[in-house]
């Protein structure tokens, strides 16, 4: 096995093209355990942490660009990003321990394609876009289109995620992420629920996104829950409809961490609570000052 640390995207693409069994990694918090568990070792390990573009967090008038290898510790420490995307940043802070967060990243969390990963539901709810580099140049897709199943992605050989793009949220918009784990930390989600809510001037829901993790092979958008919210205040019967729709949309497995019935019930409860949290944040006075 050979270790390489390119400093440009072009150099990383060239390295991947030169070896059929080369692998990129942004933190190796998933790759190293996989190798230790018996997965085939790559011939070349390409470390993306030395490419400035992949580790940068930038803000513009249009939104944010977050490098796919930016440590989640840096993401959680970015006050501007946390102010506009509190749920996504909260999800980032749930990845592993404080030590792991110095290495873990959005790119690795998404490209590992674990159904129980914490940041993908929030990336999906916020309509994040992934910029992907490969031998044919760069392309941009919705983050929702990257994972296609457990451990499987739409990335073709030689491709890797460079960065994520997030549009600045409109006025009176906020997100939230909640998960259930057997332990308070250092565990993966039994169920995760990400929500983004936009309110109109009367406090009714103008736009909504509800996404569930750990209840299907990939993140599930709950269209019925979103439709139940539009035009209504996020309370009472609307929240009950969200809970029912999320439970119905969940298609989990039975395992030692939770039964199908339990996960469906939890999916409904977490979706309802996440909607309430996101709506409360969206109603905060400062959220109405956005252009």
């Amino acid at each position: 096995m050979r270790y390489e640390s390119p400093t440009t995207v072009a150099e990383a693409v060239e390295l991947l093209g030169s070896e059929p069994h080369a692998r990129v990694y942004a933190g190796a918090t998933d790759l190293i355990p996989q190798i230790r568990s018996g997965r085939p070792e790559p011939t070349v390990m390409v470390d993306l942490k030395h490419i400035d573009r992949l580790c940068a967090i930038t803000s513009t008038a249009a939104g944010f660009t977050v490098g796919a290898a930016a440590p989640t510790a840096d993401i959680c420490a970015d006050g501007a990003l946390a102010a506009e995307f509190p749920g996504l940043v909260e999800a980032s802070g749930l990845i592993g321990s404080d030590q792991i967060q110095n290495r873990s990243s959005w790119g690795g969390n998404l490209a590992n394609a674990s159904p129980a990963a914490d940041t993908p539901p929030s990336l999906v709810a916020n309509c994040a876009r992934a910029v992907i580099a490969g031998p044919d140049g760069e392309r941009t897709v919705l983050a929702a289109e990257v994972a296609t199943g457990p451990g499987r992605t739409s990335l073709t050989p030689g491709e890797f995620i460079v960065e994520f793009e997030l549009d600045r949220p409109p006025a009176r918009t906020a997100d939230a992420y909640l998960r259930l784990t057997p332990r308070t930390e250092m565990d993966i989600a039994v169920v995760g629920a990400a929500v983004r809510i936009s309110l109109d001037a009367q406090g009714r829901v103008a736009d909504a996104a509800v996404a569930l993790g750990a209840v299907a092979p990939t993140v599930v958008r709950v269209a019925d829950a979103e439709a139940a919210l539009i035009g209504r205040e996020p309370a009472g019967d609307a929240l009950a409809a969200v809970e029912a729709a999320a439970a119905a949309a969940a298609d989990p497995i039975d395992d030692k961490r939770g039964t199908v019935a339990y996960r469906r019930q939890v999916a409904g409860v977490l979706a309802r609570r996440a909607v309430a949290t996101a709506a409360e944040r969206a109603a905060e006075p400062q959220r109405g000052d956005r252009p």
Side-chain angles (χ1 to χ4, degrees):
M1 187 190 300
R2 190 171 87 248
Y3 168 82
E4 296 284 354
S5 56
T7 57
T8 67
V9 171
E11 188 181 351
V13 170
E14 183 178 355
L15 283 167
L16 289 174
S18 67
E19 292 279 352
H21 300 295
R23 286 280 304 275
V24 297
Y25 70 93
T29 57
D30 290 306
L31 179 59
I32 295 301
Q34 289 169 0
I35 292 173
R36 287 176 174 170
S37 68
R39 298 267 187 99
E41 293 185 1
T43 54
V44 180
M45 293 180 66
V46 182
D47 185 353
L48 301 178
K49 287 286 193 191
H50 298 273
I51 303 175
D52 289 343
R53 182 181 172 191
L54 270 80
C55 295
I57 303 173
T58 58
S59 173
T60 68
F64 290 85
T65 300
V66 179
T72 48
D74 292 353
I75 290 169
C76 293
D78 192 296
L81 187 64
E84 304 233 20
F85 298 95
L88 179 51
V89 171
E90 287 167 351
S92 305
L94 294 173
I95 300 174
S97 64
D98 290 345
Q99 293 88 343
I100 287 174
Q101 287 178 29
N102 287 304
R103 297 293 298 171
S104 60
S105 63
W106 286 359
N109 207 222
L110 181 61
N112 189 53
S114 166
D118 283 305
T119 57
S122 287
L123 290 170
V124 170
N126 282 293
C127 296
R129 299 179 297 276
V131 179
I132 297 166
D136 296 324
E138 294 188 6
R139 61 188 179 97
T140 302
V141 302
L142 288 172
E145 299 173 5
V146 174
T148 59
R152 301 193 305 274
T153 72
S154 60
L155 301 179
T156 60
E159 286 190 326
F160 59 93
I161 303 172
V162 174
E163 60 199 9
F164 294 90
E165 298 173 341
L166 289 160
D167 292 334
R168 196 170 295 280
R172 298 176 65 81
T173 297
D175 68 334
Y177 176 74
L178 295 173
R179 73 171 188 182
L180 175 72
T181 60
R183 298 182 294 179
T184 56
E185 59 183 30
M186 292 292 289
D187 208 343
I188 59 174
V190 174
V191 177
V195 169
R196 173 166 148 156
I197 295 290
S198 295
L199 300 177
D200 63 18
Q202 287 72 43
R204 296 186 294 262
V205 177
D207 194 19
V210 179
L212 301 176
V215 297
T218 60
V219 174
V220 176
R221 276 286 294 267
V222 189
D224 287 346
E226 296 165 359
L229 288 166
I230 302 299
R232 305 169 71 181
E233 292 185 3
D237 291 343
L239 290 182
V242 167
E243 183 171 349
D251 185 22
I253 60 172
D254 268 315
D255 64 16
K256 64 182 180 181
R257 304 178 66 252
T259 64
V260 168
Y262 178 67
R263 281 189 159 115
R264 284 176 174 158
Q265 180 180 2
V266 171
V269 171
L270 290 187
R272 176 181 184 137
R273 292 177 180 175
V275 166
T277 299
E280 182 179 351
R281 289 171 173 171
E284 293 171 352
Q286 65 269 26
R287 302 263 173 200
D289 298 334
R290 292 178 182 158

